[in-house]
Amino acid sequence: YGAYSVRLIAEIQDALRLSDESLLERAAYFRDSGADVIDLGITPGTPPGTVARAIERLKQAGYVVSVDSLDPAIIVEADAAGADYVLSLNASNLQLARQLRATPVIIPDEEGGVESLWRNAEQLWSWGIDGILDPIMQPIGFGLARALHDLYRTRERYPQAQLMFGAHHLTELTDADSTGVNALLMGVAQELNVQFVLTTEVAVWARGSVRELDIARRLMHYAV
């Protein structure tokens, strides 16, 4: 094993509550585990300037950085500070894409279903802007089967589009060891040519998920 095609995004939850030292330590742990992108989970109500500071620290240390927020002010601040990816845009803030340098991740509208994701993506492409489509994975009992169906339909509809999903929606919210869940999800990602998989490591049973996904992406690439 060795080759792989899926890039891993590791989210540091409540990242701006950490000291600079703790933030860099956590980012280093995720990078050593196999993460390609460090994602900053932003708590609502974050004071202006704190997002930029965190991004600048990570960029100075050589990280590829994404920011997870729907807040237009935070997105604009993150983009100006050098963020590589912005999670997420939908109809509520899609116009921001026209001024961003960062690559946007496009999601469905709150009550719109996967069709709203498609509308948002097509609007983005009509402006000549590319992005990454995230149909949104759902936990067991809250629409997992439909989410997998939506992911499949999105790939079928847009064979060349970049796709992503959050594995942590399953691992964090399934009270079972994450190894098998991550392996199965990475198999789905490989079959559907998903370019990015996002995860966190908050729940006790989900710790080590980045490393598990790193191993799984190599295994599944080889298998497929």
Side-chain angles (χ1 to χ4, degrees), residues 103-124:
T103 300
V105 173
I106 311 305
I107 61 173
D109 300 338
E110 189 171 347
E111 302 296 336
V114 73
E115 290 80 8
S116 66
L117 168 68
W118 300 343
R119 287 196 301 271
N120 293 335
E122 288 171 9
Q123 179 63 72
L124 199 72

Side-chain angles (χ1 to χ4, degrees), residues 8 10 26 29-30 32-35 171-172 177-180 182-183 199-216:
L8 298 180
R26 191 66 177 161
Y29 162 73
F30 280 143
D32 292 344
S33 298
T171 54
E172 295 286 342
D177 185 75
S178 58
T179 307
N182 281 324
T199 197
T200 58
E201 294 190 5
V202 179
V204 173
W205 54 81
R207 290 178 189 169
S209 281
V210 174
R211 179 63 178 149
E212 291 166 10
L213 287 167
D214 179 47
I215 294 170

